[in-house]
């Protein structure tokens, strides 16, 4: 993309309504625009990152054997009356009437709808196990929407639902989700720590939240610093293997890590003092096992191997796809702007032309652009007639991990400058070598698919 043809409405001033850095930077980098409280338009740069995050979530869900699908945002109240949640959900549910005076709602989550689909089409244990998921807009009429996309009213969420014959099978589904979530967040350059949590209005006994440590997080968290040494890395795992998934769960949850809701001070004090940490965290996902809560209420049964009908065991599993943009920025920025991890960057590499209109500089930039594109990368070429300082400031603000700077002086010696946004370190290389280096980085740390 050539910046002169893109839509990137960056702000010079800090917007006064933004209280935290991610909100401020998303507004300044022209990624989002508020349309009303807690509801945002996703401008091109924000949309690009949102789609990359979404594609990583899809990849890892599909890898774990979960099936993508899509349910509507508008639902009839009837199913929610069956489960008892139409009354119980309270004011967070946005309710409305259609022209026939029927009660409708904007989906805050979809346990009822998926259970209805299940009971209509599945009647035998032979069709289990089954896990389906969607990535879809949700609406919760939060009392205090704030911090930009972190606590919106309309937000984008991955919600998955597993159906299993027995509790053991459903717990395997739970463990499988935990493993797939660890991989998902790591691909985005994030460390998200699974913490035992409270189940809230979804209900159920087993639940873990995934928290990204950040000073601006809304949850207070207590943990053994040893949990931050754990990484999933690029290990291969067989998602069908009960032992392997269980092993990963145990590895990642055996050290103390709790939110304030489930914190147990007596247990915490048994951790050696130098490893005890009290901090803040952003919830980027949650997994639940809730047994037969919805299948009992809504009559979702299957015939077991013995011919008897039994209610299915279920769980649901969510990732805050739009909140993740804020969480990633909170975890990765400096005083100049965002520092995108390679996994989610909107463009792979910036090209800054120090002397737009100079024949040689323009030609070198065009060649770099063509070479990066031919290698399958998506560069952003700042081809505006602007001062170098302004171009650097924009690149730093929007946070592309790599920048190639091209100027007549360097070209005389056959070199351009390759700069890492994260370290600020630059090196002079021939244009070919610079391209090679950037291509190699993304071979090692591929970015989610996008457009
Ligand atoms: P919270 O405690 O932050 O209100 P929740 O526990 O009610 O969230 P879940 O039902 O677990 O949310 O939804 C799954 C994920 O969706 C959460 O882990 C979070 O990342 C995201 N999410 C929930 N509410 C919002 C919101 N208002 N804005 C943006 N993301 C949200
Ligand atoms: Mg939650």
């Amino acid at each position: 993309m050539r910046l002169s043809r893109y839509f990137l409405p960056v702000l010079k001033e800090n917007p006064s309504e933004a209280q935290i850095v991610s909100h401020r930077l998303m507004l300044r980098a022209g990624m989002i625009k508020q349309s009303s409280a807690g509801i945002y338009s996703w401008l091109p740069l924000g949309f690009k990152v949102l789609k990359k995050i979404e594609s990583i979530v899809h990849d890892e869900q599909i890898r774990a054997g979960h099936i993508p699908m899509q349910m509507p945002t508008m639902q009839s109240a009837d199913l929610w009356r069956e489960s008892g949640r139409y009354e119980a959900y309270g004011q967070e549910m946005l309710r409305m009437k259609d022209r026939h005076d029927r009660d409708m709602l904007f989906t805050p989550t979809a346990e009822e709808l998926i259970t209805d689909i299940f009971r209509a089409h599945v009647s035998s244990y032979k069709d289990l196990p089954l896990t389906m998921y969607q990535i879809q807009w949700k609406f919760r009429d939060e009392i205090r929407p704030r911090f930009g996309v972190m606590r919106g009213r309309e937000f984008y969420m991955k919600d998955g639902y597993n159906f299993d014959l027995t509790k053991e099978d459903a717990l395997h589904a739970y463990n499988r989700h935990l493993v797939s979530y660890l991989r998902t967040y790591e691909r985005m350059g994030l460390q998200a720590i699974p913490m035992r949590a409270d189940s809230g209005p979804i209900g159920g006994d087993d639940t873990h939240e995934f928290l990204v440590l950040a000073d601006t997080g809304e949850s207070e968290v207590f943990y053994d610093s040893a949990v931050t040494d754990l990484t999933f890395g690029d290990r291969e795992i067989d998602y069908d293997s009960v032992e392997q998934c269980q092993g990963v769960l145990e590895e990642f949850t055996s050290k103390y890590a709790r939110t304030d809701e489930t914190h147990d001070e007596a247990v915490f004090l048994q951790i050696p003092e130098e490893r005890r940490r009290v901090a803040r965290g952003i919830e980027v996902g949650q997994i639940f096992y809730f047994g037969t809560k919805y299948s009992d209420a809504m009559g979702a049964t299957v015939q077991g191997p013995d011919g008897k009908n039994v209610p299915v065991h279920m769980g649901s599993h969510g990732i805050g796809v739009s909140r993740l943009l804020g969480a990633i920025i909170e975890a990765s920025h400096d005083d100049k702007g965002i520092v995108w991890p390679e996994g989610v960057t909107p463009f792979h590499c910036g090209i800054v032309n120090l002397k737009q209109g100079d024949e040689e500089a323009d030609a070198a930039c065009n060649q770099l652009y063509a070479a990066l594109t031919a290698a399958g990368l998506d560069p952003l070429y700042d081809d505006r007639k602007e001062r170098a300082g302004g171009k650097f400031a924009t690149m730093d603000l929007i946070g592309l991990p790599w920048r190639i700077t091209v100027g007549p002086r360097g070209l005389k010696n056959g070199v351009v400058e390759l700069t890492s946004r994260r370290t600020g370190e630059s090196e002079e290389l021939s244009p070919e070598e610079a391209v090679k280096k950037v291509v190699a980085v993304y071979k090692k740390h591929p970015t989610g698919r996008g457009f």
Side-chain angles (χ1 to χ4, degrees), residues 197-226:
D198 249 3
S199 58
I202 309 265
D205 310 324
D206 279 282
T207 175
H208 279 90
E209 287 175 347
F210 289 77
L211 285 109
V212 172
L213 299 173
D215 295 341
T216 47
E218 289 186 295
S219 317
E220 186 169 33
V221 297
F222 302 81
Y223 63 94
D224 177 339
S225 66

Side-chain angles (χ1 to χ4, degrees), residues 6 35 93 142 155 157 163 174 260 295 392:
Y6 200 48
S35 95
M93 180 184 276
E142 300 275 354
F155 61 99
M157 176 174 140
F163 298 90
Y174 184 91
D260 49 1
S295 44
F392 289 143

Side-chain angles (χ1 to χ4, degrees), residues 140 142 149-153 155 157 202 209 218 283-286 288 318-320 322-323:
R140 294 183 189 170
E142 300 275 354
V149 300
M150 293 262 248
R151 183 165 296 283
R153 292 197 297 162
F155 61 99
M157 176 174 140
I202 309 265
E209 287 175 347
E218 289 186 295
E283 181 195 328
V284 292
Q286 187 161 13
F288 299 91
I319 293 180
S322 51
R323 179 180 287 181

